[in-house]
C-alpha cells in the first residue's frame, strides 16, 4: 500500500484523459457535488492566482506516481462527485523553472484518497466499504492564460503508511480530441502535494475524518516528503472560515523543466 520513491530521471509515459464539457471553473461552488458528466476543460478564474507566482522559479521535486494512478480520467474543475469532506480550492500555477514564465494550456491532473483513505477504483484497500464510482477525486484542468489550474476538491484523508497528500501530474502540448480525450503531449512533472501538519491535525479530529481509525502518518514520519517545503510540494493553506469544516484554499507554484 505504501508509495515507493521513483527515479527522478525516469521517463514518464503519456496518458489519455477524458475531456469535460459544461460549466467553467468560474461557476463552480466550493464542495459542490458533480455528476460523472465531465465539467469544463479549462479554468479561467484568474483572480485566484497567487500574486507573485511568476517570480518563483524553483524546480519542483519529482516524486513517485504511487500505486493508485488511473488512465482516462476526466478533465474537469470540480472532482468531488459529492464526496464528503471539507472544501479544498486549489490554485496551482505552472511555470518554467528556467525563465519564470507561466505556462498556459498545461494539463494539471490530480488524484487523492477520500476522508476514509480510500481511492476510487480501489475502495476497500484502506479497510472501508463504500460506493466506488471509479472516478471520484480524480481529474484536472488546463491552466488558464496566467498559468493557473483551479481545481475544487475536498481535504484528503490518509491511509496506511503515508501522510496526507495529493498526487499531481503536469502535461503539456496535448491535443484535445472529439471523443473527449487527448492525444500526444508530454508529461513534464509527476509529484505530490503536502499539507501543514497542524492544520491536518485539526481536520483529522472532526467528522468525517475522525471515522478513519487508521493511524495517521505525520509529515515528519513520511518516507517520501523530505521537509523541503514548497519545493517539495508543501501547499500554502488559507482558511475559508473560522472552522476547519469551512475548508481551505491551497496554493503552490509548480516549477517544471520544459
Amino acid at each position: 500500500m505504501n508509495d515507493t520513491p521513483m527515479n527522478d530521471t525516469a521517463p514518464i509515459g503519456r496518458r489519455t484523459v477524458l475531456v469535460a464539457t459544461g460549466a467553467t471553473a468560474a461557476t463552480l461552488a466550493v464542495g459542490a457535488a458533480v455528476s460523472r458528466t465531465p465539467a469544463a476543460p479549462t479554468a479561467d478564474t484568474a483572480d485566484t492566482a497567487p500574486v507573485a507566482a511568476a517570480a518563483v522559479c524553483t524546480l519542483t521535486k519529482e516524486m513517485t506516481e504511487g500505486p493508485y494512478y488511473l488512465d482516462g480520467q476526466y478533465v474537469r474543475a470540480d472532482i468531488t462527485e459529492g464526496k464528503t469532506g471539507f472544501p479544498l480550492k486549489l490554485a496551482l500555477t505552472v511555470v518554467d523553472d528556467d525563465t519564470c514564465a507561466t505556462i498556459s494550456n498545461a494539463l494539471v491532473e490530480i488524484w487523492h484518497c477520500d476522508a476514509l483513505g480510500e481511492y476510487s477504483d480501489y475502495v476497500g484497500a484502506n479497510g472501508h466499504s463504500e460506493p466506488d464510482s471509479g472516478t471520484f477525486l480524480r481529474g484536472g484542468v488546463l491552466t488558464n492564460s496566467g498559468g493557473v489550474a483551479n481545481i475544487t476538491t475536498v481535504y484528503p484523508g490518509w491511509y496506511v503508511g503515508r501522510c496526507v497528500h495529493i498526487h499531481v501530474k503536469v502535461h503539456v502540448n496535448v491535443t484535445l480530441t472529439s471523443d473527449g480525450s487527448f492525444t500526444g503531449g508530454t508529461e513534464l512533472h509527476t509529484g505530490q502535494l503536502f499539507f501543514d501538519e497542524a492544520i491536518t491535525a485539526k481536520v483529522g479530529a472532526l467528522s468525517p475524518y475522525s471515522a478513519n481509525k487508521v493511524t495517521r502518518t505525520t509529515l515528519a514520519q513520511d518516507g517520501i516528503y523530505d521537509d523541503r517545503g514548497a519545493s517539495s510540494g508543501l501547499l500554502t493553506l488559507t482558511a475559508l472560515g473560522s472552522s476547519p469544516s469551512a475548508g481551505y484554499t491551497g496554493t503552490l507554484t509548480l516549477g517544471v523543466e520544459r
Side-chain angles (χ1 to χ4, degrees):
M1 294 220 30
N2 296 349
D3 295 342
T4 303
M6 64 183 284
N7 184 335
D8 289 354
T9 61
I12 304 170
R14 296 177 179 177
R15 309 290 181 186
T16 299
V17 176
L18 299 181
V19 174
T21 59
T24 65
T27 65
L28 290 170
V30 179
V34 296
S35 69
R36 293 186 63 178
T37 302
T42 59
D44 287 325
T45 315
D47 59 356
T48 61
V51 174
V56 179
C57 305
T58 303
L59 181 66
T60 304
K61 184 176 180 179
E62 292 275 314
M63 293 186 179
T64 176
E65 177 183 279
Y68 298 118
Y69 182 70
L70 293 176
D71 289 313
Q73 295 307 301
Y74 295 134
V75 174
R76 53 185 178 175
D78 188 321
I79 66 172
T80 57
E81 291 191 18
K83 294 297 291 186
T84 58
F86 302 161
L88 178 65
K89 295 183 67 174
L90 294 172
L92 305 175
T93 304
V94 181
V95 301
D96 185 315
D97 77 302
D98 291 323
T99 67
C100 294
T102 57
I103 303 175
S104 60
N105 293 316
L107 181 66
V108 178
E109 179 186 15
I110 68 170
W111 67 102
H112 64 85
C113 67
D114 66 7
L116 296 180
E118 302 290 350
Y119 282 85
S120 56
D121 209 51
Y122 293 92
V123 166
N126 202 40
H128 304 91
S129 177
E130 60 185 48
D132 189 356
S133 66
T135 58
F136 65 74
L137 306 181
R138 296 179 182 272
V141 294
L142 297 175
T143 55
N144 61 23
S145 58
V148 182
N150 292 291
I151 303 173
T152 296
T153 185
V154 296
Y155 205 101
W158 60 91
Y159 55 97
V160 176
R162 287 302 318 278
C163 67
V164 173
H165 64 283
I166 291 176
H167 295 271
V168 60
K169 285 182 180 287
V170 178
H171 316 249
V172 293
N173 300 325
V174 301
T175 299
L176 305 184
T177 61
S178 60
D179 63 355
S181 63
F182 76 80
T183 59
T186 303
E187 288 180 15
L188 293 187
H189 176 70
T190 297
Q192 297 183 24
L193 310 177
F194 297 95
F195 294 77
D196 179 84
E197 186 60 33
I199 293 176
T200 291
K202 293 177 182 178
V203 169
L206 301 175
S207 178
Y209 300 90
S210 57
N212 185 354
K213 301 305 181 182
V214 173
T215 300
R216 185 172 62 82
T217 298
T218 66
L219 279 177
Q221 295 168 333
D222 192 70
I224 293 177
Y225 179 66
D226 60 5
D227 201 29
R228 295 183 63 185
S231 65
S232 292
L234 186 67
L235 291 163
T236 296
L237 297 174
T238 303
L240 291 171
S242 58
S243 168
S245 62
Y248 298 86
T249 61
T251 60
L252 185 70
T253 298
L254 298 170
V256 300
E257 188 78 41
R258 297 201 74 170

